[in-house]
Amino acid sequence: MPFTPARPDPSQPSVRINLLSDTQTKPTPAMRAAMAAAEVGDEQVGDDPTVNALCDRVAELLGKEAAVFMPSGTMCNVAGLLAHCRPGDEILAHRTAHILSREGGTHAALGGFQITGLDGADGKFTPDTLRTALHPRTRYEAAQTLVSVEQTANIGGGTIWAKADLDAVVAIARERGMATHMDGARLLNACVATGISAREMSAGWDSVWIDFSKGLGAPVGAVLAGTRDYIDAVWRWKQGLGGSMRQAGIIAAACIHALDHHVDRLADDHTHARTLARGLAQIAGIDVQEPETNLVFFDPAGAGITAADMVKALRVKGVTLATMDGRIRACTHLDVNAAMIEDTLGMVRDIVRGV
């Protein structure tokens, strides 16, 4: 089932509590001030000092040689994989991975890639599952070129790949001469939750990116890192996809501000997610997946109401969430506080009582 957020309805009250996604965050006043004061230049020819500073900082953060600023995380994935693979190549990823389920078939359309979805609980496949999926290199089958993981696993419930499993996947890929790519849209959520640094978490991975427009609270942007030669190849695709920008320092400044001020506070989002999950679990008939980061997936069917109807009922009350793969997803973020969590729980209880 596709991602289906509740559609805005002018006849309904305005949104008071936005749990739809961490992409819904608004720039803080301090972030807006940083953007207004940003030194800028032409990013496309390498003359924007703020973009350059951001890319250098993310490359250092992730332990890579170089990095490139992108308008979106999807472009990081698309351009990143186009730089890794050739038409006809096979990519191995979890069956719910963003590159397979949320990017409109672009990898097949532009790259001619075959993405094979691997099974596994909570959005993650095991190293053994990866080994089983490998086949001998023959002219009869697609060349298996790349292994991709998503940290954290969105549809899996915001779950965290264990460092040992990440290392095992890298080792298996290297044995087979395959490249590795980490979709790190919420990588820093995993780092804050585990205490493992971003450099350590992404060690050994050929390419990795982080998104700034989710929990970090910037209005737009993501940064992809890897070797210098790889980033040069990515830049060719960024140019061709229309991702090159001009005075992009204005938005890069928001990302730098986020790194300075919004990383450690991701722990608050995780706390709010756990509070929400505990409260939902206490309502008879609601099945809740225990959150590991800032995503809470739950199913109210046992309480006599469908996920879609629950989302509609909450929207009438000014709370917006999304249905995803038959469940409700609530996402905590910078603009959600503890009082909003308690208000949401109260409204869910009222709706269930009404049922």
Side-chain angles (χ1 to χ4, degrees), residues 98-158:
H98 202 275
I99 61 171
L100 185 57
S101 63
R102 294 295 185 272
E103 294 181 4
T106 303
H107 303 280
L110 297 184
F113 308 144
Q114 173 177 303
I115 303 177
T116 298
L118 305 181
D119 288 329
D122 300 330
K124 302 171 290 183
F125 55 84
T126 66
D128 286 341
T129 298
L130 174 60
R131 282 193 183 279
T132 301
L134 299 176
H135 58 67
R137 292 186 178 274
T138 74
R139 66 177 182 272
Y140 301 106
E141 296 182 88
Q144 293 179 315
T145 304
L146 181 78
V147 180
S148 179
V149 302
E150 192 177 316
Q151 178 75 309
T152 61
N154 176 15
I155 299 177

Side-chain angles (χ1 to χ4, degrees), residues 252-299:
C255 302
I256 292 174
H257 180 86
L259 288 175
D260 288 338
H261 301 284
H262 293 173
V263 175
D264 291 342
R265 64 144 308 279
L266 291 172
D268 297 338
D269 301 339
H270 302 169
T271 297
H272 294 152
R274 290 192 296 270
T275 300
L276 178 62
R278 283 195 301 269
L280 290 169
Q282 293 168 4
I283 301 173
I286 294 185
D287 180 44
V288 186
Q289 180 178 345
E290 182 68 23
E292 296 183 15
T293 50
N294 67 321
L295 302 181
V296 180
F297 280 76
F298 63 100
D299 184 355

